């Protein structure tokens, strides 16, 4: 084979590889962009208007919907199993306490069923709603592949390996790797904490008795500590809510990464992303630190969300299309 022919062959192979990678970004495990273009063309506009309507009444539902999608995908895959009612269902597991936004998904499903009965899955509605919630908080949009089907299993006992605020970076990385997500995906997706709040009991030990020392976590900015203590008094106020992104909890931006750099991460698992060398590099890249290849948070977040939203999806003849999101057919 001549050099010219070999060069053309290698070029063709590279083009095919790039096309394959490009398709992977808009296709998952059987999902694809525009899945409902002929069967229910209004689905995205209905979800978008429903999320917007609820958001206008209660803006705190935006981080709630994002968290709801995250919790769904990490247990049984992105199959809407988190939406099922029942004392032994996923939503009632201890790690899922405080989840919000169920009524938004139910509302959107009811409207969609009125125009496209038995076509659109609750899992897809949840994936679309998470994206629309981010957009409403000034975040960038991304294209959501659809075609998921709803799962037929929802068990609280399956919620046993979900990422925890007490996890070390190594444990976090392993839990994400188990789902096919990289260290960069980990840092990027946790950046979703740029919106929303958390309860004091998830981190109060950092304020008063870090690792049993009887002292605060030394990684907390000492000028920030009095403010945290006033919001989470020792021995009381465990249910008080604190913004995960101090000073910018209503806007989807990269200020959360700045807070990590400044010792103002709220959850220990968040702050560790700055102190651990394997994750610190990605935080710095999102901050545009000189000498490192920069990353644009809004762009990378959409990419990582597409990857996450294809964890263990059910497509084709697997699963079902629920009539209502809170109950199996």
């Amino acid at each position: 084979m001549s050099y010219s022919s070999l060069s053309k062959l290698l070029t063709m192979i590279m083009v095919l590889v790039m096309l394959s990678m490009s398709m992977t970004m808009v296709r998952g495990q059987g999902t694809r962009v525009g899945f409902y273009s002929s069967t229910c063309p209004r689905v995205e506009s209905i979800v978008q208007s429903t999320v917007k309507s609820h958001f206008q009444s209660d803006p705190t539902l935006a981080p709630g919907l994002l968290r709801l999608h995250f919790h769904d995908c990490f247990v049984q895959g992105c199959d809407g199993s988190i939406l099922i009612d029942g004392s032994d269902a996923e939503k009632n597991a201890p790690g899922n306490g405080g989840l919000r936004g169920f009524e938004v998904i139910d509302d959107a499903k009811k409207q969609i069923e009125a125009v496209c009965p038995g076509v659109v899955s609750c899992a897809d509605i949840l994936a679309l709603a998470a994206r629309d919630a981010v957009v409403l908080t000034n975040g960038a949009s991304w294209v959501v592949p659809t075609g998921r089907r709803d799962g037929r299993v929802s068990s609280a006992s399956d919620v046993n390996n979900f990422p925890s605020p007490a996890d070390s970076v190594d444990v976090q990385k392993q839990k994400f790797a188990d789902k096919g997500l990289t260290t960069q995906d980990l840092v990027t997706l946790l950046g979703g904490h740029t919106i929303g709040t958390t309860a004091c009991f998830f981190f109060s030990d950092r304020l008063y008795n870090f690792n049993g020392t009887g002292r605060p976590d030394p990684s907390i900015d000492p000028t920030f500590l009095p403010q945290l203590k006033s919001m989470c008094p020792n021995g009381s106020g465990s249910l008080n809510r604190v913004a995960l992104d101090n000073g910018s909890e209503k806007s989807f931006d990269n200020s959360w990464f700045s807070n990590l750099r400044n010792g103002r991460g709220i959850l220990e698992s968040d702050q560790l992303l700055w102190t651990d060398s394997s994750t610190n590099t990605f935080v710095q890249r999102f901050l545009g630190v000189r000498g490192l290849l920069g990353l644009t948070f809004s762009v990378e977040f959409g990419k990582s969300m597409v990857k996450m939203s294809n964890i263990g999806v059910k497509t084709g003849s697997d699963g079902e299309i629920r009539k209502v999101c809170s109950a199996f057919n």
Side-chain angles (χ1 to χ4, degrees):
M1 181 180 292
S2 68
Y3 177 81
S4 177
S5 298
L6 179 60
S7 178
K8 289 180 180 179
L9 177 60
L10 290 175
T11 300
M12 184 178 296
I13 291 174
M14 286 300 297
V15 170
L16 290 173
V17 170
M18 292 302 293
L19 283 173
S20 176
M21 291 174 64
S22 176
M23 288 302 292
T24 299
M25 289 305 302
V26 296
R27 295 176 73 99
Q29 304 164 6
T31 60
R32 60 181 173 84
V33 174
F35 182 84
Y36 299 109
S37 59
S38 60
T39 55
C40 193
R42 291 180 54 203
V43 59
E44 294 208 25
S45 63
I46 292 175
V47 173
Q48 183 181 56
S49 63
T50 304
V51 172
K52 183 176 182 180
S53 175
H54 284 267
F55 175 82
Q56 289 173 334
S57 299
D58 182 4
T60 66
L61 283 171
L65 287 168
L66 184 58
R67 183 177 176 223
L68 193 59
H69 183 41
F70 185 85
H71 280 239
D72 182 43
C73 290
F74 265 74
V75 181
Q76 292 286 347
C78 309
D79 65 349
S81 52
I82 192 65
L83 305 172
I84 294 294
D85 285 338
S87 58
D88 297 324
E90 275 180 41
K91 68 165 61 174
N92 287 311
N96 286 331
L99 287 179
R100 304 179 62 232
F102 297 100
E103 71 276 20
V104 182
I105 308 303
D106 289 339
D107 187 2
K109 176 64 172 177
K110 183 177 180 180
Q111 294 182 55
I112 291 169
E113 283 296 301
V115 294
C116 312
V119 173
V120 181
S121 69
C122 299
D124 276 342
I125 293 173
L126 184 50
L128 292 167
R131 185 268 313 274
D132 295 338
V134 168
V135 172
L136 285 168
T137 52
N138 301 317
S141 185
W142 63 89
V143 178
V144 178
T146 47
R148 300 164 190 80
R149 289 172 68 85
D150 298 318
R152 295 191 178 99
V153 175
S154 182
S155 174
S157 62
D158 289 332
V159 188
N160 53 19
N161 198 36
F162 193 81
S164 162
D167 286 343
S168 67
V169 169
D170 285 342
V171 170
Q172 291 184 74
K173 289 195 297 185
Q174 187 58 57
K175 288 181 177 180
F176 275 69
D178 289 343
K179 303 300 181 183
L181 300 171
T182 66
T183 300
Q184 180 176 325
D185 292 321
L186 161 66
V187 177
T188 304
L189 290 170
L190 286 186
H193 286 166
T194 183
I195 54 174
T197 63
T198 188
C200 288
F201 69 80
F202 282 116
F203 67 94
S204 58
D205 62 309
R206 299 186 67 210
L207 310 182
Y208 302 101
N209 189 28
F210 183 63
N211 289 340
T213 61
R215 297 180 178 182
D217 183 346
S219 69
I220 299 176
D221 173 9
T223 65
F224 185 44
L225 189 60
Q227 181 180 338
L228 290 177
K229 286 185 173 181
S230 68
M231 292 186 287
C232 303
N234 194 13
S236 64
S238 63
L239 297 180
N240 292 353
R241 308 292 299 185
V242 175
L244 285 164
D245 184 3
N246 179 254
S248 183
E249 71 271 17
K250 296 180 180 180
S251 182
F252 204 93
D253 53 33
N254 71 343
S255 64
W256 179 79
F257 297 104
S258 297
N259 278 325
L260 298 188
R261 177 179 56 191
N262 297 331
R264 295 192 168 211
I266 303 301
L267 301 177
E268 182 182 0
S269 55
D270 286 356
Q271 188 60 50
L272 286 174
L273 299 182
W274 177 256
T275 56
D276 188 279
S277 60
S278 67
T279 51
N280 171 273
T281 298
F282 292 108
V283 177
Q284 293 197 68
R285 290 175 69 186
F286 280 126
L287 289 171
V289 173
R290 182 177 296 178
L292 293 174
L293 179 63
L295 289 171
T296 303
F297 176 52
S298 59
V299 173
E300 299 304 323
F301 189 80
K303 292 179 181 178
S304 291
M305 283 293 287
V306 170
K307 289 179 66 176
M308 186 195 77
S309 70
N310 278 298
I311 295 174
V313 297
K314 298 165 179 63
T315 58
S317 59
D318 197 8
E320 64 182 16
I321 303 297
R322 290 184 209 140
K323 296 177 181 178
V324 294
C325 292
S326 59
F328 301 121
N329 289 344

